[in-house]
Amino acid sequence: MKSAILLTVLLWQSNANPEPTDPHYLRFERAITVPSGAGQSCAIIDPSLFPHAGPSLKDLRLFQNNREIPYAITLSEPQQPDSDTAVIRNLGLRGRNIVFDLEMPNRPYTELTLELAGHDFIATATVSGTHDPNYANQTNLGEFTIFDLSSQHFSRSTTIHLQETSLPYLHIELAVSPAAAAHALDTSPQVLQKMVISVTVPPSREAQSLYTKAGEVSSITQRGRQSVATFALPQRIPIERVSFSLSPAFKANFSRDISIKDHPTTSPNPADALSETLAGTILRVHLTQAGREIRQEQLSVPATLGSNMQSAATVEVAVNNGDDAPLPITAIRLEMRQRKICFDAPTAVPLTLFYGDAALTAPQYDYTRLFSPSSEFHEAKLGPEQFNPAYRDRPDARPLTDRHPHLLWIALLVVICILAIVAIRSSKTVHH
């Protein structure tokens, strides 16, 4: 009897395994066309796919002629994601110029960021490089202007922008002058000797991230001293950068702080909703001071929004103008890092990408584990989203007791009654 009860409960708790690769249970589909010859191919994923797909795109399934095709999803990012530190050697003075040598990381690089003490200065950095550890036979890499214009309410830029190189040894000479209207900079030899603190080497520009536009607003409103753009962001779209476009006729210098706020759209009271605020700066500095030409422009801000999430969100981007006239902004864009779906197509026959089944978990493909991004992949095209005409609801695969919890209580009562009857009959038999 106890075995029968246990078997009954286990049967009720059993769960039918769904067929995770059956495209009939996926609500949406998009055609992918591949070039002639097929083979290794990649298609760019556009933002409109995210709202109807599962979290982290876990329910994407790719088919060709009713055959499931393994795939991998790539995320555009620097090949060398972290900054390195260059080793400073032989720091000293040549006349009134700061001179020093650098031992560079063993990789390509395009920029050097100098950490310098002091404010309100302009400097010319003359850079040369060599393969010789004794710093002989140097090649001239150019002259570059770095500056700090804090007193003029402009920015500070101490990054030297080079053409990509892998030279292991650099020599730098800095000619430093006070910026216009600045009197605080001490250019005595004792101070100049201590001005260079460290040098970092960011990832190469040639390997930086590519971005895809996820939303754009060209209607900019004025609210007090702020220029404001508001976005309705659908659920799950990842946002990683905010970019600005200005009127081509606008040539003035500026430096403006911006703030980026978001909160879930579903909240009945946005003021009470869980929100976040990010900050950044956009700027343009085109001028000549102390006989040196300064050129710097920054019209995008990194911004990873936490509401790339599981609900739609309202995103507000505000430019703080202070006492200056509003910038002639023609558009503000929310952008995501470029993502691609890559696969090995056996033929040039079009494929179909299916998604929209919350019951699916992320697939486990050998192809994904062994995948290595390459520039030799063919470019495939992702077509528009369509409703899957063969779609049907997935059968309820929950255990019987989850779907009908009252049945377990009924079964238990029946078993208790049976046991009671058996016990009563056994008792009567013993008495007789």
Side-chain angles (χ1 to χ4, degrees):
M1 182 61 66
K2 291 183 179 180
S3 298
I5 296 173
L6 179 60
L7 178 61
T8 302
V9 173
L10 289 176
L11 288 174
W12 277 334
Q13 292 292 342
S14 65
N15 187 10
N17 292 322
E19 298 180 11
T21 59
D22 188 341
H24 294 95
Y25 301 140
L26 294 150
R27 289 179 179 272
F28 302 97
E29 66 177 38
R30 300 180 73 168
I32 298 182
T33 55
V34 293
S36 59
Q40 300 285 350
S41 305
C42 294
I44 295 175
I45 296 174
D46 58 72
S48 63
L49 185 147
F50 287 83
H52 289 157
S56 302
L57 304 181
K58 66 179 183 179
D59 58 349
L60 266 57
R61 297 295 187 272
L62 194 59
F63 283 82
Q64 186 180 57
N65 291 332
N66 297 319
R67 173 188 173 190
E68 185 172 357
I69 303 297
Y71 66 85
I73 293 179
T74 67
L75 175 64
S76 179
E77 58 187 352
Q79 296 174 4
Q80 194 277 329
D82 299 319
S83 294
D84 291 312
T85 300
V87 179
I88 300 175
R89 305 289 190 198
N90 307 318
L91 177 61
L93 295 178
R94 180 178 297 142
R96 299 189 65 82
N97 291 348
I98 305 170
V99 293
F100 56 95
D101 297 323
L102 296 175
E103 291 184 16
M104 303 301 293
N106 185 23
R107 63 170 175 83
Y109 55 89
T110 51
E111 294 179 342
L112 309 173
T113 300
L114 311 185
E115 184 182 354
L116 301 177
H119 297 280
D120 298 312
F121 63 81
I122 298 176
T124 298
T126 303
V127 184
S128 57
T130 179
H131 290 280
D132 190 334
N134 296 315
Y135 293 88
N137 304 315
Q138 296 188 22
T139 300
N140 181 32
L141 300 180
E143 292 187 352
F144 308 87
T145 300
I146 59 178
F147 58 90
D148 181 287
L149 304 178
S150 302
S151 295
Q152 301 176 52
H153 304 291
F154 289 129
S155 65
R156 174 186 177 98
S157 175
T158 59
T159 297
I160 297 173
H161 303 282
L162 304 167
Q163 295 295 321
E164 186 173 71
T165 181
S166 300
L167 288 171
Y169 305 102
L170 297 184
H171 175 77
I172 298 179
E173 183 167 343
L174 290 180
V176 183
S177 302
H183 307 287
L185 181 68
D186 186 348
T187 58
S188 64
Q190 295 83 358
V191 173
L192 291 176
Q193 184 82 21
K194 299 178 181 178
M195 192 169 182
V196 178
I197 301 172
S198 65
V199 178
T200 57
V201 186
S204 171
R205 284 193 309 275
E206 311 304 328
Q208 292 300 302
S209 299
L210 302 176
Y211 288 86
T212 300
K213 182 175 69 175
E216 182 174 89
V217 168
S218 56
S219 176
I220 313 300
T221 61
Q222 301 303 314
R223 188 177 64 197
R225 296 183 177 183
Q226 293 183 324
S227 301
V228 180
T230 302
F231 298 80
L233 184 66
Q235 64 179 352
R236 301 194 186 104
I237 295 182
I239 300 301
E240 287 134 340
R241 189 171 76 170
V242 179
S243 294
F244 300 77
S245 294
L246 303 178
S247 169
F250 180 69
K251 305 298 183 183
N253 295 323
F254 65 90
S255 179
R256 306 287 170 90
D257 293 331
I258 69 167
S259 61
I260 304 160
K261 299 180 181 179
D262 69 272
H263 63 79
T265 306
T266 53
S267 174
N269 184 1
D272 297 332
L274 181 62
S275 63
E276 62 181 343
T277 301
L278 305 176
T281 302
I282 56 174
L283 58 91
R284 175 194 290 159
V285 181
H286 290 182
L287 50 81
T288 301
Q289 288 192 5
R292 297 181 177 92
E293 190 177 71
I294 299 174
R295 293 289 184 267
Q296 186 185 28
E297 186 168 280
Q298 177 180 299
L299 295 179
S300 62
V301 177
T304 301
L305 301 184
S307 57
N308 302 339
M309 316 151 269
Q310 308 314 313
S311 65
T314 298
V315 179
E316 179 184 279
V317 179
V319 179
N320 301 307
N321 298 307
D323 295 326
D324 295 302
L327 295 173
I329 300 171
T330 57
I332 299 178
R333 294 179 299 279
L334 302 181
E335 298 172 329
M336 71 177 196
R337 284 193 286 168
Q338 187 181 92
R339 289 155 169 83
K340 293 181 179 180
I341 180 169
C342 298
F343 49 88
D344 188 356
T347 68
V349 174
L351 296 88
T352 303
L353 179 66
F354 293 94
Y355 53 97
D357 181 0
L360 287 183
T361 58
Q364 303 293 323
Y365 299 129
D366 289 340
Y367 181 87
T368 305
R369 297 187 185 95
L370 302 175
F371 178 79
S372 178
S374 169
S375 59
E376 298 179 359
F377 281 75
H378 299 296
E379 182 179 351
K381 298 291 185 182
L382 189 63
E385 180 179 271
Q386 296 181 347
F387 185 77
N388 179 4
Y391 172 78
R392 61 174 180 265
D393 290 334
R394 180 183 291 278
D396 193 340
R398 292 177 300 165
L400 182 63
T401 51
D402 285 353
R403 286 178 282 148
H404 307 286
H406 60 280
L407 291 181
L408 179 60
W409 295 106
I410 294 174
L412 290 175
L413 290 174
V414 170
V415 170
I416 291 172
C417 290
I418 293 174
L419 291 174
I421 293 173
V422 170
I424 292 172
R425 290 180 176 177
S426 298
S427 175
K428 290 181 177 179
T429 302
V430 170
H431 289 300
H432 287 298

